Amino acid sequence: MKPFTYERAASPTEAATAAARQPGARFIAGGTNLLDLMKLQIETPAHLIDVNGLGLDRIEETQEGGLRIGALVRNTDLAADARVRRDHAVLSRALLAGASGQLRNRATTAGNLLQRTRCPYFYDTNMACNKRRSGSGCSALGGYSRQLAVVGGSDACIATHPSDMAVAMRVLDATVETVKPQGATRTIPIADFHRLPGDTPEIETVLEPGELITAVTLPKPAGGAHHYRKVRDRASYAFALVSVAAIVQPDGSGRVALGGVAPKPWRSEEAEADMPRGARPVMAKLLAGAKPTEENKFKLPLAERALAAVLAEAKG
Amino acid sequence: MKFDTPATTNPIDRLKIVGRPTDRIDGPLKTTGTAPYAYERHDVAPDAAYGHVLGSAIAKGRIASMDLTAARAAPGVLAIVTAENAGKLGKGEYNTATLLGGPEIEHYHQAVALVVAETFEQARDAVEMIEVEYGRAEGAYDLAAARDAAKPSGKDDEPADSRVGDFDSAFAAAAVRLDATYTTPDQSHAMMEPHASIAAWQGDRLSLWTSNQMVAWSVGDMAKTLGIAKEKVHLMSPYVGGGFGGKLWVRADAVLAALGARAAKRPVKVALQRPLMINNTTHRPATIQRIRLGADRDGRLTAIGHDSWSGDLPGGKPETAILQTRLLYAGANRLTRQRLAELDLPEGNSMRAPGETPGMMALEIAMDEMAEKLGLDPVEFRIRNDTQVDPEQPKRPFSQRQLTECLRTGAARFGWARRKPQPRQVRDGRWLVGLGMAAAYRGSPVVKSGARVRLDAKGIVTVETDMTDIGTGSYTIIAQTAAEMMGVPLDKVVVRLGDSAFPVSSGSGGQFGGNSSTAGVYAACVKLREAVTARLGLNAAAAEFIDGQVRSGDRAIALADAARAGELVAEDEIEFGGLDKKAQLSTFGGHFVEVAVDAATAEVRIRRMLAVCASGRILNPKSARSQVIGAMTMGAGAALMEDLVVDKRHGFFVNHDLASYEVPVHADIPHQEVIFLDETDPMSSPMKAKGVGELGICGVAAAVANAIYNATGVRVRDYPITLDKLLEKMPDVG
């Protein structure tokens, strides 16, 4: 861990302004990911801006009938919220499928969206990694790739986004609210929030320097039956090989997003139009253009089978 | 005491304290966080500086240059140790690669520098400022590719090859044959407590508080590495937070703490950081195993062949995966061969039941496959091939062998009769359900072990031995042994372990520690009893030690009276005089497992596990059960998830942390049961006990594999059995 300076911000705008002022500054909330990365010098911020005191820890109902989730709402609290459990159950289920009780007590809504990949080569600073050091190369290509992306990757990076929560947020059409350094705010649809790696895998979101997430908003309830099916090598406390977030309506229509397969939550509105026809046509479109490795090609049939199981369960 | 004739009746047989389920006497220390583990010895070294290790970034080659300028100038840095400035170092007898690399690099994350600083954070930061230029060399990292160049490897009592009869002809002529190849991956001990040490010098004398299973070995290897006399090394390892064979030897933390303390001129503590543990220390080596079985139509084995290949650094050792095959089943024609390839991966070495764990992973799937070919129940097939003598040396019996009893008891208790012989017959909602079993086998070696016992005027009995407690319960069984022998309650016994100032014990390894170390305490107590009766003027042969008294005829004298005129001290060791050569000392068991496999995703979830063990007298059924369920859990990990993944380009284990090297969590292990059969083994020791902590893992993974086959009809011969290996053959969904 490199020495760093630290401040507590008094308001979201002040936090954003402070971050823009100091090159190499990072926000810290739960710290469940950032601190680990700092210890390994994968992240080396010169300055930390603690946003825990900003009061962004409430869940409010919106005029449209949705929920506005403060950026600092802890994963445990979000999963347990009665309105989330009743109206957005896929989110609660995804959260509870992730991490451990102790981690969920600390981890925040915004931090969860911003957590970084678990690619083992990202974690070993002796290895080339374009995400960690731009232009150094990708050791995962041609290396151990069982956990890594089958779709959406590039010749520069095949890392996956590890979040479960973000997959549910994607299927719920959440929007991300931010404040920029001079106080301007904007709203980013979750679909646009994470970027694909392309030639610049080190840039993972559309956030601008200093821009701070203040809330994540869910639209009015989507109805239907909510499923989160996480497939992994052990029964708990493991990242997804494949996860399926699905909302299935009584007429068989619905929405689906995948985790564990791509650099971001993976959803295609065109593909899910085929949901009444079953998992196969949905996956044919959703995973079109997939470029799996020999080690992770099993994720393609696995994703289809997991969705088929969800659809069968929804039918009852 | 020489143990060269079978044990007769002795005070242990009273079983007033030994053999009773007993809480750990060190339990309160552990549950209150006050047991003094090596890294937290603030009491003995309050001023310790912090050392942090830099591991090599390459697997093989040389350090071309190393620039320490920035690190030296970093805040708080007191000293930096490298091979260049450490002075001449030897290599420990039990180490294959050197513990401080440079300029030659032998494996990835081999230690190349230690930075000592005032704080942990300063040391860790400064390590990253060291600039190292490497000259990379080609290395061999792929066991499958190196297999053909592998050479026979064995030792005197474990030769590389063994042959009985004419395997080739018998196999060719057998009515039913199996010829299959199995693989097991490299595995990590992944113990909770990392390798950790605090070193302090007083002049030329070194005090080392460390986490180590084998105190005397490690005193020797510290001395040899540092080039000092053994007498100058005081090693203390009273509490060990898990070892599993990974702490049988001195590792980089201990040597670098000593060198760092010498350079910084004050005590230094070093814990290996988790990402270094996997490539810096030792691991269980991967194996490729070919098993050939031939049988007649009645299911009697006529030919048993087992070839095993493993790899290690030059000068290293083979994984002895063929050993159990020499002893487990009858069969007139036998062939086992053990081959070792040179690899430049980190050092392979012992991990819980080395040899038998991977050997049984393969052999016991092969037995399941063969039973199916023969149309026999897998339990019945094994019983049909049971033997009471060493199949390679039929004049040599097993001292005790209750394999058949274990299997029958297990089958009855587990509800084995409900198993469908045809696979893929049982569906429970989304789950395909199956039952599997395997035999359990592990040798039970005995090792010389000493102890000192003191009796004071308050009647307190104090035991001192360099035996270690690696979480197994040594403190408690040693206390039980002394209490039984001296006729005092448990709370009158104090046990002091893991200090090189105490008599040399067996140490903890190879499941020899429990039986051997308590036998050493027994021997010392026999001497103490003689001293007591002599002091009290009683006839030693007629005296009974009971209820805090010594009774002889109509006299009853308080035990404490014997020490009124001064503490009584007795020291002895148990020396094993060849009974283990006349008879084979082994432990046996049966593992039974029920699994459910998700029909859609092929995720495997264990539903219940049962182990039945026949392993001599169980000294403490409570801690023995903990040992066995822990071993079963480790076996479940071996079956389903544990896999050190080799990057064959860079030559290292990629998944070098606990997020990516998965071991079972609570949710993976819903229900476990353990049954110990009544057994006493007078050939084994005066305790009539044997090992059990390693028996518990042997065969577990195969039982899981066989249950998966019974559930799904998919036979996987390459561990771990992850869902991608099953998925293609799973039924259609929906």
Side-chain angles (χ1 to χ4, degrees):
Chain A
M1 189 181 278
K2 307 297 285 181
F4 56 88
T5 52
Y6 169 92
E7 71 177 290
R8 287 198 182 104
S11 74
T13 304
E14 193 186 292
T17 307
R21 196 167 51 229
Q22 302 238 23
R26 295 293 307 263
F27 300 117
I28 185 160
T32 56
N33 193 204
L34 182 61
L35 281 177
D36 283 353
L37 295 171
M38 287 169 67
K39 290 173 186 172
L40 296 167
Q41 295 204 12
I42 295 164
E43 296 257 17
T44 53
H47 185 64
L48 287 186
I49 299 160
D50 186 336
V51 296
N52 282 298
L54 298 186
L56 306 171
D57 54 0
R58 281 183 292 279
I59 305 173
E60 300 158 342
E61 286 158 35
T62 65
Q63 287 183 343
E64 294 74 33
L67 291 176
R68 186 169 184 277
I69 302 157
L72 294 165
V73 172
R74 309 285 156 172
N75 287 178
T76 296
D77 297 331
L78 184 56
D81 185 272
R83 294 160 295 183
V84 172
R85 293 178 58 183
R86 185 186 64 221
D87 298 331
H88 309 281
V90 65
L91 177 57
S92 186
R93 291 186 176 134
L95 282 161
L96 294 174
S100 65
Q102 294 93 327
L103 286 167
R104 293 193 296 267
N105 287 343
R106 285 298 299 163
T108 62
T109 305
N112 192 317
L113 288 178
L114 293 172
Q115 67 179 299
R116 309 206 63 194
T117 186
R118 297 287 167 159
C119 174
Y121 296 97
F122 176 72
Y123 267 81
D124 189 330
T125 52
N126 292 325
M127 294 292 132
C129 172
N130 288 319
K131 190 183 275 300
R132 182 166 25 79
R133 203 167 67 239
S134 181
S136 62
C138 173
S139 304
L141 287 164
Y144 173 47
S145 58
R146 183 168 183 270
Q147 293 276 349
L148 302 179
V150 293
V151 68
S154 70
D155 292 342
C157 183
I158 54 169
T160 48
H161 194 271
S163 173
D164 293 296
M165 185 200 81
V167 184
M169 292 291 195
R170 177 70 181 90
V171 90
L172 289 169
D173 284 327
T175 52
V176 180
E177 294 178 22
T178 68
V179 59
K180 293 191 196 185
Q182 263 64 49
T185 60
R186 67 164 167 160
T187 300
I188 308 163
I190 186 80
D192 301 333
F193 182 77
H194 294 103
R195 290 168 40 120
L196 292 180
D199 295 333
T200 54
E202 73 279 13
I203 305 173
E204 295 172 351
T205 69
V206 297
L207 291 176
E208 294 167 12
E211 190 170 4
L212 175 72
I213 299 174
T214 51
V216 178
T217 299
L218 302 179
K220 68 177 180 8
H226 288 218
H227 298 262
Y228 191 75
R229 183 77 169 84
K230 182 174 181 179
V231 184
R232 45 187 156 174
D233 284 323
R234 64 181 171 191
S236 178
Y237 201 43
F239 294 98
L241 294 167
V242 164
S243 69
V244 174
I247 298 174
V248 186
Q249 302 295 346
D251 64 358
S253 68
R255 311 174 186 178
V256 59
L258 300 180
V261 298
K264 58 187 276 187
W266 202 247
R267 180 178 170 198
S268 146
E269 281 76 356
E270 189 201 343
E272 69 197 20
D274 279 335
M275 271 176 71
R277 296 175 45 225
R280 182 154 297 171
V282 173
M283 285 301 162
K285 282 184 184 158
L286 184 54
L287 296 173
K291 281 204 266 180
T293 66
E294 195 55 35
E295 285 181 0
N296 67 21
K297 64 181 183 189
F298 73 91
K299 289 188 176 187
L300 301 179
L302 181 60
E304 184 184 315
R305 295 177 68 90
L307 178 61
V310 164
L311 296 179
E313 193 186 329
K315 247 187 232 164
Chain B
M1 176 182 290
K2 189 115 174 156
F3 182 72
D4 52 8
T5 54
T8 52
T9 301
N10 67 45
I12 296 295
D13 294 321
R14 299 184 295 182
L15 297 181
K16 288 180 175 300
I17 298 170
V18 168
R20 304 274 173 113
T22 304
D23 287 348
R24 284 164 199 265
I25 61 171
D26 50 328
L29 285 178
K30 289 180 174 172
T31 50
T32 56
T34 48
Y37 287 91
Y39 198 71
E40 283 94 34
R41 293 305 298 268
H42 314 296
D43 54 334
V44 294
D47 60 337
Y50 291 80
H52 204 69
V53 177
L54 176 64
S56 166
I58 64 166
K60 189 172 166 68
R62 286 177 72 81
I63 295 174
S65 69
M66 197 184 255
D67 185 351
L68 306 178
T69 317
R72 281 226 166 86
V77 171
L78 302 169
I80 300 177
V81 177
T82 68
E84 208 170 55
N85 67 26
K88 188 173 163 4
L89 295 177
K91 194 179 80 177
E93 196 179 325
Y94 296 97
N95 298 132
T96 305
T98 57
L99 297 179
L100 177 58
E104 209 68 45
I105 297 298
E106 294 162 283
H107 63 86
Y108 191 74
H109 274 174
Q110 185 174 26
V112 296
L114 179 84
V115 173
V116 180
E118 292 285 353
T119 71
F120 173 77
E121 289 77 12
Q122 288 169 335
R124 185 171 60 183
D125 183 30
V127 156
E128 297 296 325
M129 298 180 195
I130 298 175
E131 296 287 339
V132 189
E133 299 275 343
Y134 295 96
R136 202 179 290 265
E138 289 293 307
Y141 309 118
D142 183 351
L143 176 61
R147 168 179 165 166
D148 290 343
K151 296 191 171 59
S153 177
K155 50 188 188 182
D156 289 348
D157 53 343
E158 289 171 3
D161 292 14
S162 75
R163 288 161 207 274
V164 174
D166 180 352
F167 171 80
D168 288 333
S169 305
F171 183 67
V176 180
R177 283 195 298 265
L178 172 82
D179 181 350
T181 298
Y182 307 84
T183 64
T184 64
D186 297 283
Q187 295 174 339
S188 177
H189 310 86
M191 71 293 271
M192 192 117 68
E193 181 202 29
H195 296 75
S197 298
I198 299 178
W201 292 89
Q202 300 88 33
D204 62 351
R205 307 184 71 86
L206 173 68
S207 295
L208 186 72
W209 296 268
T210 188
S211 180
N212 190 290
Q213 300 173 228
M214 300 295 290
V215 169
W217 290 5
S218 297
V219 165
D221 270 1
M222 280 303 289
K224 197 170 171 213
T225 306
L226 298 172
I228 61 176
K230 272 204 272 195
E231 295 67 35
K232 303 283 188 189
V233 179
H234 185 192
L235 191 152
M236 290 147 282
S237 176
Y239 293 93
V240 179
F244 309 115
K247 294 174 180 168
L248 289 165
W249 2 84
V250 165
R251 297 299 311 175
D253 57 300
V255 168
L256 289 174
L259 294 171
R262 188 187 266 163
K265 298 186 171 50
R266 62 189 259 199
V268 168
K269 57 161 72 180
V270 178
L272 291 184
Q273 54 268 44
R274 185 66 64 177
L276 234 66
M277 282 182 58
I278 281 171
N279 286 284
N280 177 276
T281 73
T282 60
H283 65 277
R284 188 201 299 285
T287 65
I288 300 169
Q289 301 179 53
R290 181 187 184 195
I291 294 180
R292 287 174 289 173
L293 300 175
D296 64 23
R297 296 252 172 239
D298 293 336
R300 274 170 230 290
L301 290 166
T302 53
I304 302 176
H306 192 163
D307 294 277
S308 175
W309 293 264
S310 64
D312 201 359
L313 288 167
K317 297 191 298 189
E319 180 66 27
T320 54
I322 46 86
L323 288 187
Q324 75 287 321
T325 307
R326 293 175 177 170
L327 290 158
L328 187 48
Y329 296 114
N333 302 286
R334 319 173 68 88
L335 171 65
T336 66
R337 292 180 295 202
Q338 183 165 274
R339 300 291 178 265
L340 177 64
E342 283 194 358
L343 294 179
D344 299 298
L345 290 171
E347 180 173 334
N349 221 317
S350 300
M351 179 169 144
R352 200 173 201 165
E356 280 101 330
T357 296
M360 294 292 279
M361 286 168 80
L363 178 64
E364 288 298 292
I365 295 183
M367 289 296 284
D368 200 65
E369 295 197 60
M370 195 64 178
E372 187 181 36
K373 279 175 180 269
L374 287 158
L376 279 177
D377 181 272
V379 171
E380 180 54 33
F381 176 49
R382 286 170 173 84
I383 290 172
R384 204 162 287 190
N385 290 285
D386 196 9
T387 169
Q388 288 296 318
V389 297
D390 175 347
E392 291 190 350
Q393 304 172 61
K395 290 194 177 135
R396 189 167 169 260
F398 285 91
S399 62
Q400 297 278 345
R401 179 170 166 130
Q402 297 197 74
L403 175 62
T404 292
E405 292 79 358
C406 288
L407 298 181
R408 292 220 191 282
T409 303
R413 285 289 285 267
F414 201 68
W416 182 252
R418 291 198 296 275
R419 171 182 176 268
K420 308 273 186 219
Q422 290 291 316
R424 208 156 162 163
Q425 301 295 310
V426 181
R427 181 102 187 211
D428 176 10
R430 64 190 247 211
W431 302 98
L432 308 178
V433 179
L435 303 185
M437 58 77 57
Y441 171 88
R442 171 72 175 155
S444 187
V446 285
V447 175
K448 186 163 91 168
S449 195
R452 184 159 54 224
V453 195
R454 303 172 182 276
L455 174 69
D456 72 10
K458 291 181 179 150
I460 301 292
V461 176
T462 300
V463 185
E464 295 170 342
T465 162
D466 83 357
M467 178 60 186
T468 48
D469 188 327
I470 59 174
T472 42
S474 309
Y475 277 102
T476 310
I477 56 172
I478 283 173
Q480 288 173 273
T481 302
E484 192 80 72
M485 288 298 290
M486 301 312 297
V488 297
L490 216 47
D491 62 6
K492 296 284 187 203
V493 180
V494 174
V495 180
R496 302 171 67 196
L497 298 183
D499 189 318
S500 63
F502 299 153
V504 174
S505 73
S506 62
S508 298
Q511 80 168 9
F512 52 66
N515 177 41
S516 301
S517 70
T518 53
V521 173
Y522 169 93
C525 286
V526 168
K527 271 206 172 164
L528 184 61
R529 288 163 61 110
E530 288 165 5
V532 166
T533 50
R535 178 77 62 90
L536 296 177
L538 297 173
N539 176 358
E544 190 187 5
F545 288 66
I546 189 163
D547 296 338
Q549 295 181 326
V550 190
R551 296 180 193 158
S552 181
D554 51 6
R555 295 179 65 195
I557 307 172
L559 178 68
D561 286 358
R564 191 155 292 162
E567 185 189 48
L568 288 178
V569 183
E571 182 175 334
D572 201 1
E573 59 188 16
I574 191 89
E575 225 180 319
F576 294 92
L579 291 180
D580 58 327
K581 302 287 180 290
K582 287 184 193 145
Q584 173 61 34
L585 301 181
S586 296
T587 58
F588 296 88
H591 287 293
F592 293 80
V593 173
E594 178 176 334
V595 301
V597 182
D598 189 298
T601 62
E603 287 164 288
V604 179
R605 300 292 179 248
I606 290 174
R607 289 190 163 184
R608 58 194 181 103
M609 311 175 84
L610 165 70
V612 183
C613 303
S615 47
R617 173 174 282 155
I618 300 301
L619 303 174
N620 180 354
K622 193 168 186 179
S623 55
R625 178 181 178 276
S626 292
Q627 280 299 292
V628 176
I629 65 173
M632 291 157 77
T633 304
M634 215 166 188
L640 298 177
M641 61 193 85
E642 292 189 42
D643 181 6
L644 286 174
V645 178
V646 180
D647 185 314
K648 299 186 179 89
R649 306 161 304 169
H650 300 292
F652 75 117
F653 300 123
V654 187
N655 47 342
H656 51 59
D657 59 35
L658 291 180
S660 51
Y661 183 80
E662 291 183 14
V663 298
V665 294
H666 286 285
D668 291 301
I669 309 292
H671 184 80
Q672 295 174 311
E673 201 180 335
V674 181
I675 297 169
F676 295 111
L677 296 190
D678 267 344
E679 184 174 299
T680 48
D681 194 335
M683 298 288 276
S684 168
S685 83
M687 303 302 293
K688 304 172 187 170
K690 287 190 286 202
V692 73
E694 297 191 333
L695 177 69
I697 190 175
C698 296
V700 175
V704 174
N706 297 337
I708 292 170
Y709 176 74
N710 185 244
T712 64
V714 185
R715 184 67 77 180
V716 179
R717 299 184 183 87
D718 301 295
Y719 291 99
I721 306 174
T722 46
L723 60 89
D724 45 299
K725 296 171 185 171
L726 301 168
L727 202 58
E728 256 181 30
K729 295 181 186 153
M730 298 302 284
D732 289 339
V733 188

